[in-house]
Amino acid sequence: MNIGATLLRGGLVVDGSGGPSWSGDVLLVGSHIAALGAELSSRLADHLPTLMQPSQVTVVDCSGLVVAPGFIDVHTHDDATVLHDPDCLPKLSQGITTVVTGNCGISLAPCAVPKAQAPLSLLGADSFKFASMAQYQAAVQAAAPAVNVVALVGHTTLRFAVMPDLSQPANEAQCLRMAQLLDDCMAAGAHGLSSGLFYEEAFAAPAAEVTQLARVVARHGGVYATHLRSEMQHIIEAMHEAGDTAFVAGVPLVISHHKCAGPAQWGRSIETLALVDTLALRQPIAVDVYPYVAGSTVLRRDLVDGVIDVLLTWSEPHPECTGRLLSDIAAEWGVDQGTACTRLQPGGACYFQMHEDDVARVIAHPRSMIGSDGLPHDRHPHPRLWGAFPRVFARYWRDRPLLTLEQTVHKMTGLSARNLRIADRGELRFGAMADVVVFDPARITDAATFEHPTRVSEGIVAVYVNGQRAYAEEQGPRTLVRAGRMLQKRPNE
């Protein structure tokens, strides 16, 4: 019998728990972590199965490098990408080994339609082919992506599946049908529910509609993640709504891509994070955040205020304008930015609507996790798709002492696994799954920019997914093996 084994020797081990780092070895045998220790190399034979000899172990010198759990991207829109581009290079090259899909109320399942409209089209208009979570999970398994996949079920997707008119609250029969679909998805192994009440297609849903669905999630031990109804003027009211929804339903809450959007809201993260702390006194709550002052979503006229910069990421009627500032396009056309926005629709854009002080404050908060929120289907994507995780290390750990190394890793691993209820990942410990990233702490940084958004990050030396080396910096920007899995939540896990 041949079991692959890798000894990561002599690195600085940051185990993902948030506890102190230590120098030593990590042994991977098959798909699991078989042993860890400061003197493991000298005791190697004692830790290997009798069917394996030490000479069969691949030894990797990690001197001067950090050995950490594979990063968990808690906020992605990779639902279709793991099927159509299963190499998942934008994620592997950042050290990401697990992606959480189905965020912002948008998931591929359960909804089968020939051509999806916004905001579902953020996942690709022709990608909605799965009437059940089980069908989607089977497709992921068949595609064999390079990263592990955790699925949330989108509230907006459920609305599209059962409602002919999304401008109204769901009626009793429609709520019951959505609840049944969600129950089936949770029974199949989904990890929870997400909502995107900010988007027009879900905005009409009252809190009671979402609460009814969240109760279904509670029965299965899942989580509720929400793109708040407002991240601007009414953000406090929206946070109270989300908190009450989760509290009444009895589910843990994750506030997605927490931000204070628009110049009038800059500085309010002091207020919003204080509310997070207050809510935490009565219920489980976390937030996710990406390390940029610009967000990205569909092109919306109400987000174009003539003050902030808006960068076009794609446009169906004017693809030649992709990658340009809306202000420059408007000036060239001799119109105001609102008119230019309308002419460019449907499309997508990056909105430079946050202040760096707020971003840093959210990243430093002990309840925040890192999520990229990248949009892989954009022609000119936000650089967070390729660079979010290394950027946190470069900007908020190495360049300025906002976080310790252990805190930074914890926000990408153990904290994420705990909040999303992902079993056996996120920490380096005996028996856990062997998702591991090895990186150079002196070099780790993002290379993707708004001008060149698909540049590969630097300093990610090696990535192991379920014990297999899937990425190696020395071999260039490519996926070596696709060893990811569909991670199905076990009942009440």
Side-chain angles (χ1 to χ4, degrees), residues 57-112:
V57 179
T58 300
V59 178
V60 179
D61 183 6
C62 295
S63 301
L65 304 175
V66 171
V67 179
F71 303 147
I72 299 171
D73 191 343
V74 296
H75 193 109
T76 85
H77 297 284
D78 292 335
D79 308 50
T81 298
V82 296
L83 303 177
H84 306 319
D85 187 15
D87 279 359
C88 302
L89 187 59
K91 298 305 166 79
L92 272 185
S93 61
Q94 293 184 66
I96 295 166
T97 57
T98 298
V99 298
V100 179
T101 64
N103 282 283
C104 296
I106 309 165
S107 61
L108 285 192
C111 185

Side-chain angles (χ1 to χ4, degrees), residues 221 252-253 348 375 395 469:
L253 174 65
L375 298 175
R395 290 177 66 89
R469 191 172 70 158

Side-chain angles (χ1 to χ4, degrees), residues 418-452:
R418 185 179 73 207
N419 286 329
L420 273 297
R421 301 189 171 181
I422 304 171
D424 297 326
R425 298 175 199 270
E427 291 188 13
L428 300 181
R429 53 178 170 76
F430 173 76
M433 300 302 296
D435 293 344
V436 182
V437 57
V438 180
F439 64 88
D440 185 339
R443 293 191 301 112
I444 186 170
T445 191
D446 56 315
T449 65
F450 287 95
E451 294 75 24
H452 303 284

Side-chain angles (χ1 to χ4, degrees), residues 172-191:
E172 183 178 355
Q174 291 165 342
C175 283
L176 289 173
R177 179 57 182 150
M178 284 193 288
Q180 182 59 61
L181 288 173
L182 178 58
D183 189 65
D184 291 344
C185 289
M186 295 300 298
H191 277 66

Side-chain angles (χ1 to χ4, degrees), residues 12-22 393 397 403-413:
L12 180 66
V13 179
V14 183
D15 67 10
S17 69
S21 56
W22 49 273
F393 283 103
W397 167 63
L403 300 168
T404 66
L405 178 61
E406 291 83 358
Q407 287 171 333
T408 308
V409 170
H410 183 53
K411 286 175 174 292
M412 303 176 178
T413 57

Side-chain angles (χ1 to χ4, degrees), residues 24-40:
D25 309 330
V26 178
L27 176 65
L28 317 180
V29 176
S31 59
H32 291 74
I33 297 173
L36 307 90
E39 300 175 351
L40 180 58

